[in-house]
Amino acid sequence: MAASAPTPHGTGFPAEGRCGYYVEKKKRFCRMVVAAGKRFCGEHAGAAEEENARKRILCPLDPKHTVYEDQLAKHLKKCNSREKPKPDFFIQDINAGLKDETEIPEQLVPISFLSEEQMENLIKKLRKASEGLNSTLKDQIMSHPALHDALNDPKNGDSATKHLKQQVDGKHRKKNSVFERLQIDIQHLCLNKIPLLSKEKLPVVGIGKHLCGVATDLALRCLVETYAASCEERNEEPLAKRVKNDKTEKEINTLAKEGNEKNIPEKWTPVAGIVIALCCHHRCDWRHYVGKEYFRALGLGAVEFHYFQRMSSWATCGMQKTSLEASNISTKRKDKQNDGSEEHDDGGYRITDDSTESLPGFLTVEEKKKIGHLCKLLIDQGRINYLQQKGFNPALQYYTDPLVSLENVLLTALPNHSSSPETTA
């Protein structure tokens, strides 16, 4: 990494104890702390006259940082980018699904390159496949009591209120709770090899907040096929779920004798429930998609799926502002700078994306928006069908207001004890 001695700029001089290298791209001095008696940090040490004899090179494991050439061997042993031993619960591509090379064309042209006739044919296929689907979802907007005081605090403006609504409380303080963080791609995660789950045979509840596109399909397969199927193959049943009832065991037995068995689960299942906030359908992938059979049954395949997932971004990206949004544009811009809003939500601003560039001129803005929502609905319906085939009772619903997040659809699923899941993929 080439470095040059800094020159005074309009920003003045570096803060005391900080690196004296001026980062031209950021128009400011480097803010790294320097060692005692040094003028530059380790990254920019090449700019110091006393260290010109030592050469810094790009790290071969990660070119985003540099290292002294004479210390490369030592650095490679401790570099954070080095390959680490794989845990037992890592199994390459276990949740990836089957790859059918014959179905996926090598090169598909962007939407902007399609002719008007080709676009019309795609839209006709989409509308035909979507016939009979319920596009009006049920509102299930809820709020945790822990947030009520904060949400009703008059000191909080629109920005703070929106931020609170987007948060999920991850700070559980129960003394008996056990938490374990697994740093692994869901694509390679084998749940039944996690020591805690394999030892205790616990039922799992899958919760995902904005699992981008393909990650939703990987998570569903991880839960439904990898974990649930493996438990059933070994004829293992997880520990019974606690019945959320203040009745004693004696009272529960009495209820059962009186014919009130509906409060007592008939069968324990490895996966007790699934809750996933859906988003970024334009990041889906045919290879990993769990609804392939649903698409095939409609006469659709990899090509249609590719364009539908690209067109799905029309529902949330690159659209013109509504009159309500336009009236609040200055407020939103200010809020955008001050809060940590969802990275998936463009907050009403245009997002540069090849699926939204050069949109077909024969469609109005509202038509494009409706088509985008149809694409999302059809992709999600494939997931619904998949879960039904696996013995679950799934549903789609709105979990928050679109002014809080444009990606406001929630996928939920509970095991259907009246039917057993199919074993076919």
Side-chain angles (χ1 to χ4, degrees):
M1 179 177 184
S4 58
T7 56
H9 291 262
T11 54
F13 293 91
E16 185 178 354
R18 303 289 174 169
C19 179
Y21 181 84
Y22 187 81
V23 185
E24 191 65 35
K25 184 178 179 181
K26 297 183 178 180
K27 303 300 180 185
R28 63 167 174 78
F29 287 96
C30 172
R31 294 170 180 167
M32 293 293 289
V33 177
V34 297
K38 300 292 183 181
R39 186 183 173 194
F40 299 95
C41 68
E43 189 69 18
H44 301 124
E49 295 179 0
E50 66 270 23
E51 293 183 358
N52 276 340
R54 300 183 71 190
K55 181 182 178 182
R56 291 188 71 86
I57 60 174
L58 295 176
C59 173
L61 299 179
D62 181 6
K64 293 180 180 179
H65 66 274
T66 62
V67 60
Y68 283 117
E69 188 174 30
D70 57 2
Q71 290 185 338
L72 178 60
K74 181 180 179 181
H75 172 79
L76 292 178
K77 294 179 180 179
K78 61 180 182 180
C79 179
N80 289 331
S81 298
R82 72 189 185 281
E83 186 174 357
K84 301 175 180 65
K86 298 291 190 296
D88 291 339
F89 49 80
F90 177 97
I91 298 182
Q92 185 74 32
D93 292 333
I94 188 170
N95 303 313
L98 299 176
K99 186 175 182 180
D100 190 340
E101 298 286 358
T102 62
E103 281 197 77
I104 306 175
E106 291 185 4
Q107 188 68 34
L108 289 170
V109 299
I111 290 179
S112 57
F113 282 36
L114 296 178
S115 66
E116 186 172 321
E117 182 181 358
Q118 289 174 314
M119 278 302 308
E120 287 178 341
N121 288 335
L122 276 173
I123 294 171
K124 284 179 182 178
K125 288 183 178 181
L126 173 65
R127 286 176 173 155
K128 182 179 179 181
S130 304
E131 288 179 358
L133 296 183
N134 181 17
S135 59
T136 306
L137 306 182
K138 184 178 180 181
D139 284 330
Q140 289 281 26
I141 300 176
M142 302 178 183
S143 178
H144 196 281
L147 288 176
H148 288 176
D149 290 342
L151 289 173
N152 296 322
D153 188 342
K155 295 180 181 179
N156 289 332
D158 293 340
S159 172
T161 300
K162 177 180 177 181
H163 180 72
L164 284 167
K165 289 180 179 179
Q166 289 176 337
Q167 302 311 301
V168 174
D169 183 14
K171 298 180 180 179
H172 302 275
R173 297 182 175 86
K174 290 185 179 180
K175 294 181 179 180
N176 297 327
S177 298
V178 177
F179 294 91
E180 183 177 356
R181 183 180 182 183
L182 307 178
Q183 293 183 309
I184 183 174
D185 192 317
I186 303 175
Q187 183 169 329
H188 316 300
L189 173 61
C190 182
L191 284 177
N192 63 305
K193 288 190 176 293
I194 295 175
L196 179 63
L197 296 180
S198 61
K199 179 181 179 181
E200 302 293 339
K201 300 182 178 61
L202 297 170
V204 169
V205 176
I207 302 176
K209 185 174 185 288
H210 290 287
L211 279 171
C212 288
V214 66
T216 293
D217 298 297
L218 295 173
L220 290 177
R221 193 175 282 110
C222 177
L223 290 164
V224 175
E225 295 186 34
T226 306
Y227 188 64
S230 64
C231 288
E232 289 167 4
E233 285 174 3
R234 297 197 305 264
N235 294 321
E236 293 178 353
E237 283 193 353
L239 296 179
K241 293 186 298 181
R242 293 184 178 88
V243 179
K244 289 190 175 181
N245 201 316
D246 58 1
K247 304 287 185 182
T248 62
E249 185 177 349
K250 181 178 179 181
E251 289 174 315
I252 291 175
N253 291 334
T254 302
L255 285 174
K257 292 178 182 178
E258 293 175 353
N260 292 318
E261 293 89 347
K262 63 181 181 180
N263 292 323
I264 304 173
E266 298 174 1
K267 176 184 177 183
W268 313 121
T269 56
V271 178
I274 298 171
V275 183
I276 296 177
L278 304 169
C279 82
C280 303
H281 293 71
H282 63 282
R283 299 300 301 272
C284 290
D285 188 299
W286 177 254
R287 177 195 173 190
H288 306 302
Y289 182 51
V290 296
K292 289 182 191 173
E293 292 305 319
Y294 176 76
F295 260 62
R296 291 182 183 125
L298 294 171
L300 306 173
V303 174
E304 289 83 6
F305 179 84
H306 169 81
Y307 287 115
F308 290 168
Q309 55 103 351
R310 300 307 298 163
M311 290 157 59
S312 70
S313 64
W314 294 357
T316 56
C317 301
M319 296 296 116
Q320 294 180 358
K321 297 201 174 282
T322 63
S323 57
L324 175 62
E325 290 172 327
S327 66
N328 295 327
I329 184 171
S330 59
T331 304
K332 286 199 172 190
R333 281 177 178 162
K334 184 177 180 181
D335 291 347
K336 184 84 173 175
Q337 297 171 355
N338 296 330
D339 73 346
S341 33
E342 291 294 335
E343 62 184 70
H344 312 265
D345 186 357
D346 67 330
Y349 299 107
R350 179 174 292 276
I351 292 179
T352 303
D353 186 284
D354 64 355
S355 64
T356 59
E357 292 176 356
S358 303
L359 296 178
F362 64 92
L363 296 172
T364 67
V365 170
E366 281 305 311
E367 286 173 334
K368 293 168 188 171
K369 189 174 180 180
K370 289 178 181 177
I371 289 170
H373 281 297
L374 272 185
C375 290
K376 284 177 171 286
L377 182 63
L378 189 64
I379 291 172
D380 289 337
Q381 191 60 38
R383 292 162 170 166
I384 291 287
N385 181 264
Y386 168 81
L387 288 168
Q388 289 173 336
Q389 296 300 317
K390 297 297 182 181
F392 285 81
N393 182 20
L396 296 172
Q397 55 245 310
Y398 294 122
Y399 73 95
T400 191
D401 191 282
L403 292 178
V404 175
S405 176
L406 293 174
E407 299 282 19
N408 63 336
V409 176
L410 189 73
L411 170 65
T412 61
L414 292 172
N416 185 0
H417 298 301
S418 61
S419 62
S420 56
E422 295 183 4
T423 56
T424 57

